[in-house]
Amino acid sequence: MWLRYQPISNEQQLKTYRKQITQVVAQGDSATMQKAAAELQRCLSGLLAKPIASATKNPAKNALVIGTPNNSTLIAALGLNTELAALGDEGYLIAEQKINKRTALVIAANTDVGVLYGSFHFLHLLQTQQSLDNLNIGSAPKLQHRVVNHWDNLNRVEERGYAGLSLWDWGTLPDHKSERYEDYARINASLGINGTVLNNVNADPRILSDQFLEKIAALAYVFRPYRIKMYLSINYNSPPAFGDLETADPLDPRVQQWWKERTARVYKYIPDLGGYLVKANSEGQPGPQDYNRNHADGANMLAAGQKPFWLGVVFWRAFVYSPDIGDRFRSYDEFRPLDGKFADNVILQVKNGPIDFQPREPYSALFSAMEKTNMMMEFQVTQEYFGFATHLAYQGPLFEESLRTETYAKGEGSTIGNILEGKVFKTKRTGMAAVINPGTDRNWTGHPFVQSSWYAFGRMAWDHEISAETAAEEWLRMTFSNEQKFIDPMKELMMTSREAGVNYRSPLGLTHLYSQGDHYGPAPWTENSERPDWTAIYYHRAAKDGLGFNRTNTGSNAIAQYPAPLAKIYGDVNAVPEELLLWFHHVSWDHKMKSGRTLWEELVHKYYEGVEQVRAMQTAWDAQEAWVDAARFAQVKALLKVQERDAIIWRDSCVLYFQTYSGKLIPAGYEKPK
Ligand code: GCW
């Protein structure tokens, strides 16, 4: 991962750093402070290629002094109160200071976890070979809940995992605590991630049994010093599943009492539990609607069970869609009427798009519609729709595109990022989650570049204004090499990789052309399934007269879910961004595109462009052998070859299939389908 701590290769830089950091001085003795000091020791010894001294007092010249005004007399004496006041409970300050008239570098915060985050930031500076002269960095997270989600089943098979079996070895917990658990905590804490949901949202009720709680408590113990809170996905029907009641009706007092008691038991095992995550009435999961109640009834009942305890919240997922309606684009219809009805410790967890983690989606209209509801983002790092852990598809650009989308909910500046931050609707609780994929694979994520999406997610959860490009560059420097000749082409490769994935699968706003079930290869021809919205023809609506799903007022009118200025843009076939064209419009094959090509020609062009982009990625990677170790070089090279093969399959399947409707030739100049 990005915590490799290899020696600094630039000799001049190494000499300078060695002079600038002579010693680590830490005074607080909490577990978190000890972890911060240990991480600095471990990293500095690696980067500076020599052991580094540590002390608890009398800093030498050029010492690195870490602590809070409460746990360190050295920090308290600096009188940094004004600077620290602005940084809250998790922020930090990294600055050059004088201590006893000697120059020192200081990592100061209001809390121990702030010091830990500051320590990781400081290490990033060295890992990316930045200057330490005149340091004065203040940073605080913009969102409160920065959470990773695991879709791990209790039998260790991961739903949409693709990187081996689940990290959580339930069979040997709680007695054996694999050292990977702590490394996992370090990886997350290095980004400021402060929560994890261990188990699949398609939740097994047994997660709340004493047998599992004991195991979870052991993991919570490992994560605690890194201030990573434990959350659990719960099954809504737990009371009947445990055999205690015949109902899970949220308005039944026996059910309410059951959850209070069970939750009290959970807090006995994990006193600082963060709360529950719930997938209800979605894809066959049970929920309050089974008892003729709504999502707010269900969420609030669980939230009430949390309230007597420490800061507990309920993350209630908005990923619902019903087969009976004409347009799956409609979790909006279920949730919008409930705006303002959710308890204050409920946070609605909303996927970035209205359908399902597709290579490109417009934003979920809930973000601009739920003014009185806490909401958090759900992104996907695991590449369910991006070629699993086989294709290279850095998700940073997708996250950035989503977070920077202007919704106009309250005029300009109402970006998704600002809504999440609570700046637009003044909501109290904020957050961002991502479904990640680490498993027993030695490199954690299967494809080494999936790590980069985890990294970008963490950085953007801390600060949604960090760009995909910045995150890519940081990750490359820490994970591979600081060599500029490597960084520049690799950054370009990463920045193109998501768009390549869009182009060879579903360009111009097409969506969900996957073979059903596995979500890997193409099957735009799927038409028979138990549900109409589980077919591909439902999404693309290809016909002799054209292509695309009409969501304007002459179609499903889903466009009306968006604020008026945006609905106007999306609703106008000439104003809608072409990358979303077929999401919102059914367009004739001869429709003129901005390039001057017809829709048909543009579609072919994009599919072919996607394959060419993968080939360019191959060429760029092949030129990097000098900067990458042999194992990773060979692995990525081989995977890119598979990706090229798959991209061609996607291109040819889709182009030839759509050709049966357009009835037009593939324009001259493109290679023959294989
Ligand atoms: O995209 C769908 C996936 C399911 C997943 C579901 C969800 C966990 O195909 O595998 O289930 O989304 O997000 O709940």
Side-chain angles (χ1 to χ4, degrees):
M1 301 291 277
W2 50 88
L3 305 180
R4 297 177 74 230
Y5 304 156
Q6 298 293 300
I8 304 277
S9 52
N10 176 327
E11 285 202 10
Q12 198 46 48
Q13 188 70 73
L14 179 62
K15 267 197 198 144
T16 314
Y17 284 157
R18 280 180 170 174
K19 266 194 225 137
Q20 287 175 312
I21 312 161
T22 55
Q23 185 191 30
V24 176
V25 182
Q27 288 185 317
D29 58 2
S30 72
T32 303
M33 282 301 297
Q34 282 175 16
K35 295 296 182 194
E39 193 72 32
L40 288 166
Q41 288 274 333
R42 179 205 297 238
C43 174
L44 291 172
S45 317
L47 291 171
L48 306 183
K50 62 161 205 184
I52 182 113
S54 69
T56 54
K57 55 184 184 209
N58 300 330
K61 188 174 173 219
N62 292 328
L64 175 61
V65 181
I66 67 170
T68 70
N70 286 334
N71 69 26
S72 163
T73 48
L74 295 168
I75 298 290
L78 293 172
L80 297 170
N81 297 356
T82 326
E83 289 89 334
L84 289 177
L87 298 171
D89 280 350
E90 295 177 297
Y92 52 81
L93 187 72
I94 307 176
E96 192 177 296
Q97 295 278 323
K98 291 264 184 241
I99 298 184
N100 300 333
K101 300 202 182 116
R102 293 179 180 145
T103 306
L105 287 170
V106 162
I107 303 173
N110 295 312
T111 61
D112 295 2
V113 72
V115 176
L116 179 71
Y117 293 154
S119 301
F120 277 112
H121 186 135
F122 180 76
L123 296 176
H124 289 189
L125 296 176
L126 275 82
Q127 288 178 285
T128 55
Q129 298 192 11
Q130 295 180 55
S131 162
L132 301 182
D133 297 342
N134 309 314
L135 276 186
N136 190 11
I137 299 172
S139 183
K142 294 195 165 121
L143 302 179
Q144 296 154 3
H145 297 278
R146 305 177 299 278
V147 185
V148 286
N149 291 184
H150 296 257
W151 286 353
D152 292 16
N153 296 314
L154 303 187
N155 62 4
R156 299 192 74 193
V157 173
E158 288 185 38
E159 175 140 349
R160 319 297 183 192
Y162 323 118
L165 290 177
S166 169
L167 280 173
W168 325 126
D169 187 357
W170 300 116
T172 58
L173 279 166
D175 303 293
H176 172 61
K177 297 186 200 71
S178 154
E179 63 184 22
R180 291 203 116 192
Y181 301 151
E182 180 157 1
D183 284 341
Y184 165 85
R186 292 172 52 228
I187 289 164
N188 282 316
S190 77
L191 300 170
I193 285 168
N194 63 6
T196 179
V197 188
L198 287 191
N199 61 316
N200 193 350
V201 287
N202 295 328
D204 187 324
R206 288 178 301 161
I207 197 76
L208 292 180
S209 66
D210 286 43
Q211 186 193 12
F212 273 95
L213 291 174
E214 196 188 5
K215 298 168 193 290
I216 294 159
L219 289 170
Y221 176 82
V222 178
F223 301 164
R224 191 165 291 121
Y226 293 92
R227 289 294 185 270
I228 293 172
K229 276 200 181 179
M230 184 71 78
Y231 297 81
L232 300 176
S233 292
I234 57 104
N235 181 297
Y236 190 80
N237 261 354
S238 293
F242 271 72
D244 294 343
L245 295 174
E246 74 288 357
T247 173
D249 179 352
L251 301 193
D252 185 323
R254 292 170 306 157
V255 172
Q256 295 164 1
Q257 190 55 28
W258 190 94
W259 279 107
K260 281 215 169 86
E261 283 170 18
R262 186 48 48 183
T263 301
R265 189 136 192 96
V266 178
Y267 275 92
K268 267 215 166 110
Y269 282 97
I270 312 147
D272 51 356
L273 181 88
Y276 295 147
L277 169 66
V278 194
K279 170 175 176 177
N281 292 120
S282 160
E283 299 185 328
Q285 291 300 315
Q289 291 173 347
D290 304 346
Y291 305 93
N292 292 323
R293 314 293 182 197
N294 63 36
H295 286 284
D297 295 329
N300 295 347
M301 182 271 296
L302 288 172
Q306 297 278 309
K307 265 207 158 157
F309 305 101
W310 190 47
L311 289 180
V313 293
V314 171
F315 301 139
W316 190 268
R317 292 178 89 228
F319 178 66
V320 300
Y321 58 99
S322 150
D324 332 314
I325 50 177
D327 187 353
R328 176 170 160 182
F329 206 103
R330 287 220 168 262
S331 61
Y332 178 94
D333 291 343
E334 280 191 42
F335 282 94
R336 173 81 166 112
L338 300 176
D339 191 22
K341 302 252 159 48
F342 288 94
D344 69 352
N345 59 332
V346 172
I347 308 179
L348 214 56
Q349 185 167 311
V350 186
K351 287 187 185 181
N352 58 288
I355 303 285
D356 189 12
F357 296 137
Q358 293 301 298
R360 170 166 283 117
E361 297 200 29
Y363 78 86
S364 166
L366 287 173
F367 286 116
S368 49
M370 303 288 280
E371 304 194 8
K372 293 179 237 127
T373 304
N374 299 313
M375 272 181 301
M376 65 196 281
M377 172 63 77
E378 181 176 307
F379 282 133
Q380 203 180 41
V381 164
T382 194
Q383 295 178 187
E384 175 178 355
Y385 293 101
F386 268 103
F388 300 0
T390 304
H391 292 195
L392 195 164
Y394 170 53
Q395 299 294 297
L398 186 156
F399 303 159
E400 178 186 303
E401 178 177 297
S402 165
L403 294 169
R404 295 188 182 185
T405 302
E406 175 59 89
T407 70
Y408 300 102
K410 292 254 171 188
E412 274 183 36
S414 307
T415 60
I416 297 288
N418 286 339
I419 290 174
L420 292 176
E421 205 182 324
K423 275 181 168 171
V424 179
F425 299 137
K426 314 278 177 259
T427 39
K428 200 172 116 201
R429 294 182 195 262
T430 62
M432 203 189 287
V435 183
I436 57 171
N437 79 331
T440 46
D441 271 20
R442 189 162 174 195
N443 71 6
W444 298 85
T445 56
H447 197 304
F449 277 72
V450 177
Q451 298 174 9
S452 65
S453 303
W454 186 351
Y455 183 85
F457 160 72
R459 297 289 284 127
M460 293 184 197
W462 183 272
D463 179 355
H464 59 83
E465 287 173 271
I466 285 176
S467 72
E469 195 171 334
T470 301
E473 174 155 351
E474 289 175 3
W475 178 79
L476 283 165
R477 286 180 184 277
M478 291 191 283
T479 313
F480 285 100
S481 162
N482 275 281
E483 182 59 51
Q484 207 60 42
K485 284 188 221 138
F486 171 79
I487 297 296
D488 293 338
M490 284 303 96
K491 207 162 64 174
E492 199 185 316
L493 174 151
M494 287 174 72
M495 292 303 289
T496 331
S497 61
R498 180 265 183 143
E499 204 59 37
V502 173
N503 286 337
Y504 63 73
R505 291 189 183 85
S506 43
L508 301 176
L510 284 171
T511 205
H512 223 312
L513 307 180
Y514 298 84
S515 65
Q516 289 298 318
D518 67 74
H519 296 171
Y520 186 82
W525 44 80
T526 319
E527 41 184 54
N528 292 317
S529 158
E530 53 196 293
R531 289 171 53 157
D533 55 343
W534 288 350
T535 66
I537 59 158
Y538 173 89
Y539 293 100
H540 59 65
R541 312 263 157 143
K544 293 274 176 237
D545 71 343
L547 184 63
F549 196 136
N550 181 359
R551 294 193 160 99
T552 68
N553 57 11
T554 59
S556 79
N557 204 25
I559 258 174
Q561 300 172 6
Y562 290 104
L566 204 57
K568 199 164 163 229
I569 297 170
Y570 288 169
D572 178 348
V573 73
N574 295 311
V576 65
E578 284 189 346
E579 59 201 31
L580 294 176
L581 178 67
L582 305 174
W583 266 101
F584 293 119
H585 297 272
H586 186 79
V587 181
S588 102
W589 295 107
D590 293 322
H591 174 80
K592 270 269 171 287
M593 304 292 288
K594 294 200 181 89
S595 61
R597 301 185 190 98
T598 64
L599 172 69
W600 166 248
E601 290 162 354
E602 187 78 6
L603 191 72
V604 173
H605 180 76
K606 287 283 176 194
Y607 273 112
Y608 276 80
E609 188 182 15
V611 171
E612 290 316 316
Q613 285 168 316
V614 174
R615 289 177 176 152
M617 283 158 61
Q618 289 180 290
T619 312
W621 183 256
D622 286 350
Q624 302 310 319
E625 198 160 2
W627 317 117
V628 182
D629 51 278
R632 286 188 295 178
F633 181 77
Q635 186 187 9
V636 173
K637 187 177 165 71
L639 292 175
L640 281 169
K641 197 157 179 225
V642 180
Q643 185 167 356
E644 187 206 7
R645 179 203 69 192
D646 293 343
I648 293 170
I649 293 174
W650 265 96
R651 179 196 72 188
D652 292 352
S653 306
C654 294
V655 167
L656 295 176
Y657 170 76
F658 289 128
Q659 193 178 31
T660 64
Y661 290 95
S662 78
K664 294 176 188 296
L665 294 175
I666 296 174
Y670 295 98
E671 73 185 21
K672 278 217 173 99
K674 296 242 149 75

